[in-house]
Amino acid sequence: MRRTLVLAAATLAPLSFAAVTAEAQTAATFPAPDATLARLWTLGMDSSQVQRLGQVLLDSIGPRLTGTARQKMANDWLLSLYKQWGAEGRNEQIGTWRGWRRGHSHIDLIAPRMRSLEGTMLAWSPGTKSKDITANTIVLPRFADSTEFVKWLPQAKGKFVLVSAPQPTCRPTDNWTQHATPASKARMDSARAEVNREWGGTSVRGTGYSNALGTGSLGMRLEEGGVAGVITSRPKNAWGTIDVFETYNTKAPAIALSCEDYGLVFRLTENNQGAKLRINTDAELLGEQPIFNTIGMLKGSEKPDEYVVLSAHFDSFDGGSGATDNGTGSLTMLEAFRLLATAYPKPKRTILVGHWTAEEHGLVGSRAFTEDHPEVVSGLQALFNQDNGTGRIQSINAAGLPNAGVHLREWLGKLPTEVSSALNPRIPGSPSGGGSDDASFACHGAPAFGMGGVSWDYGTYTWHTNRDTYDKVVFDDLKHNATLVAMLAYLASEDPSKITRERATAADMAPQGRAAAAGGAQGAGTFAWPTCQKAPRKTNPRLR
């Protein structure tokens, strides 16, 4: 649904300093008057464009798989927006990645009965040239060692091989907890644990090969053995969701099936009931293709060599639309940049927005940026990174820098109380160890603030899944996040002093370390500052 966007003007009430719009009556109580903050609030909360931008990005452009034409189309779309908003923008090539074109995936069970199956190709799978491939299925057995596996391979030639764990239930755990007897749930928990042990690890069922994130080295060895294709399933502990990752096969198609349909085909095969599949897929492997970070810039008017960076990775996997991973983070930073370009076009410090490529393959784009732009790393005043779904931002991590925490508290003290009261600053926090792009800057000891939000069942329903689509985006939360980031970026830019980079000690982090340990996380006693990793500048296979 598209909304009519009306730009409302902010007014400052003389006593409460509340910015109010007549249309939406979205009020904010500022501790002190600041016309720019009030303007950012009004534009962001009552004239937001995140839903309109999100519909174009997630529905029309779609997923941004690294190395594909859809990703480059998205890069160029960003540049067109920057130009509309009067800002500078550029695509920076940081290397190459394997290119691919996804077409259709038609997967049918044709014996012992007919059923169209819910599934799709893994990313970078070879296709069937839009021709039907019909073959029987075979379950990967348990082997004593890799030699026995190699001897078995001729039996799999010309067949579709099932290489994933057959889940004993596709109901999520919370459903069993709610409805099952304790004894029944205990038996199911045990069955699940056993099947996952049996099919997990870097030597699947004793083959000596791994499925990695999709089919890994096992898929490649099966392909060498002449199989018709490889059938996988990586269900989440949720209704109807599966991970859809990648393959390195170049001849044998690699298919991801839903939990339910994979279980059906597995049981038919295991019980010798004549399971036969027909697969018709269209895909094209395109070799190494250039990949780009897209950078927007508002040049600093007083301190152009100091930087505030809005950070989010722009690439995604393509089982869905890449909506919450990380379309939402990208839209947050894009909308924040629009707000700043409108209300604060001549910042004191240079404001950059970094839409990083290939984060899903090891923070490639952001690591490459730090290598290519050491001046930004050394001049960084603050980086704000968001990459954990659609939820309203609740916490901000000061990245293990005590002075960053001092500045963060000052900035939060200038925000509307309705916003600041709902935020939990983690001070001194700890540097990101590699989960998202703030890690590429934090390893240098730079002030890279990681922002965490409300879950909205991100890990089970949308993260890397077939259900990561436009309809899962909570646009009210996204509107809030973009406005928050814009205000923080403005305050960081205007700050009279630059954040210093003294690093927190284990003693500084002891209280938060004890809290983390209570929650099962690493405590401060084992803390070591993360080491920067070099960015791969071409496809870096993950086979194990």
Side-chain angles (χ1 to χ4, degrees):
M1 181 180 73
R2 303 181 80 173
R3 289 182 177 174
T4 302
L5 302 172
V6 180
L7 211 62
T11 60
L12 288 176
L15 296 177
S16 66
F17 308 118
V20 184
T21 66
E23 180 197 9
Q25 294 297 305
T26 302
T29 306
F30 289 87
D34 187 308
T36 301
L37 281 178
R39 176 74 167 147
L40 289 169
W41 175 265
T42 301
L43 288 171
M45 298 305 291
D46 298 315
S47 301
S48 173
Q49 293 191 18
V50 289
Q51 192 156 5
R52 179 181 68 81
L53 295 169
Q55 191 279 322
V56 175
L57 177 63
L58 304 177
D59 286 346
S60 185
I61 296 173
R64 286 90 47 211
L65 188 69
T66 301
T68 62
R70 307 308 297 184
Q71 187 186 49
K72 182 56 166 60
M73 180 184 296
N75 294 135
D76 293 340
W77 174 69
L78 291 174
L79 292 184
S80 71
L81 293 173
Y82 299 157
K83 184 176 181 181
Q84 290 176 31
W85 301 337
E88 297 179 40
R90 62 187 185 273
N91 285 334
E92 292 188 354
Q93 183 176 347
I94 59 94
T96 64
W97 213 258
R98 53 181 178 154
W100 186 62
R101 179 185 58 79
R102 177 185 284 277
H104 65 257
S105 296
H106 300 316
I107 309 156
D108 300 300
L109 175 71
I110 62 172
R113 61 186 176 93
M114 290 291 298
R115 174 179 168 82
S116 292
L117 302 180
E118 182 184 4
T120 188
M121 288 180 288
L122 291 176
W124 293 286
S125 172
T128 69
K129 300 181 180 179
S130 297
K131 297 178 181 178
D132 290 349
I133 294 180
T134 302
N136 294 106
T137 56
I138 187 171
V139 171
L140 184 76
R142 157 62 66 178
F143 301 101
D145 53 35
S146 58
T147 300
E148 189 176 288
F149 165 61
V150 172
K151 290 179 180 178
W152 168 85
L153 273 175
Q155 298 181 47
K157 187 174 182 179
K159 297 177 182 177
F160 293 120
V161 185
L162 302 170
V163 300
S164 296
Q167 294 300 322
T169 180
C170 296
R171 291 180 181 272
T173 298
D174 59 6
N175 197 242
W176 280 86
T177 300
Q178 181 179 0
H179 299 294
T181 65
S184 179
K185 182 177 183 298
R187 282 192 292 272
M188 181 52 66
D189 289 347
S190 178
R192 276 178 156 172
E194 175 59 30
V195 76
N196 289 327
R197 278 194 300 269
E198 172 63 20
W199 289 82
T202 57
S203 178
V204 179
R205 308 209 85 187
T207 59
Y209 296 89
S210 171
N211 277 325
L213 290 178
T215 62
S217 59
L218 178 59
M220 296 175 70
R221 187 63 184 91
L222 290 169
E223 181 177 73
E224 290 176 18
V227 303
V230 182
I231 311 298
T232 74
S233 184
R234 289 177 60 109
K236 298 280 197 178
N237 191 13
W239 292 109
T241 59
I242 58 170
D243 286 327
V244 182
F245 284 115
E246 62 186 5
T247 184
Y248 291 89
N249 290 7
T250 58
K251 296 178 182 177
I255 301 296
L257 289 181
S258 69
C259 180
E260 295 81 0
D261 282 343
Y262 183 85
L264 166 64
V265 175
F266 193 99
R267 293 187 299 273
L268 291 171
T269 306
E270 188 176 44
N271 288 290
N272 299 313
Q273 292 169 346
K276 184 178 288 188
L277 302 183
R278 180 178 62 214
I279 292 177
N280 186 310
T281 58
D282 173 42
E284 189 177 5
L285 297 166
L286 300 172
E288 291 288 308
Q289 298 291 321
I291 57 172
F292 304 87
N293 291 327
T294 301
I295 309 298
M297 181 172 70
L298 298 171
K299 188 73 171 179
S301 58
E302 296 182 26
K303 299 181 178 181
D305 296 329
E306 295 184 15
Y307 299 88
V308 176
V309 178
L310 316 181
S311 168
H313 77 85
F314 200 43
D315 65 308
S316 71
F317 279 103
D318 72 338
S321 300
T324 67
D325 188 19
N326 187 32
T328 46
S330 298
L331 289 165
T332 291
M333 300 307 164
L334 181 62
E335 170 71 354
F337 189 71
R338 182 189 73 85
L339 299 177
L340 291 162
T342 302
Y344 186 55
K346 295 181 179 179
K348 179 178 290 186
R349 292 177 171 89
T350 296
I351 296 177
L352 302 177
V353 55
H355 298 279
W356 317 120
T357 188
E359 185 271 353
E360 299 289 4
H361 308 284
L363 315 185
V364 178
S366 57
R367 283 174 171 162
F369 183 85
T370 63
E371 293 167 10
D372 297 343
H373 294 282
E375 77 285 358
V376 174
V377 177
S378 63
L380 190 63
Q381 166 74 340
L383 175 141
F384 301 101
N385 187 76
Q386 203 275 330
D387 179 21
N388 68 337
T390 191
R392 191 180 186 92
I393 291 170
Q394 292 181 311
S395 65
I396 304 177
N397 174 21
L401 303 179
N403 190 247
V406 172
H407 286 253
L408 178 61
R409 286 196 189 280
E410 290 177 356
W411 303 337
L412 295 182
K414 297 177 181 180
L415 296 181
T417 54
E418 295 84 353
V419 175
S420 59
S421 62
L423 289 171
N424 175 31
R426 291 186 56 222
I427 298 171
S430 58
S432 172
S436 188
D437 293 292
D438 49 333
S440 300
F441 296 82
C443 67
H444 293 278
F449 296 91
M451 312 181 92
V454 178
S455 165
W456 287 97
D457 294 323
Y458 173 65
T460 50
Y461 277 99
T462 60
W463 182 59
H464 297 154
T465 76
N466 53 326
R467 303 289 188 244
D468 192 13
T469 47
Y470 172 90
D471 55 286
K472 309 305 187 304
V473 178
V474 181
F475 283 102
D476 282 345
D477 283 7
L478 218 63
K479 177 172 65 174
H480 168 272
N481 291 350
T483 306
L484 169 62
V485 169
M487 291 191 295
L488 288 173
Y490 158 70
L491 292 169
S493 174
E494 287 289 306
D495 198 317
S497 62
K498 187 182 178 185
I499 292 174
T500 59
R501 300 191 179 188
E502 300 84 7
R503 299 181 180 186
T505 65
D508 294 328
M509 289 185 277
Q512 65 187 32
R514 285 193 292 271
Q522 175 178 289
T526 57
F527 173 77
W529 203 272
T531 302
C532 294
Q533 304 295 316
K534 189 172 178 60
R537 300 297 180 129
K538 62 180 181 180
T539 303
N540 186 31
R542 297 181 290 192
L543 300 178
R544 299 190 70 81

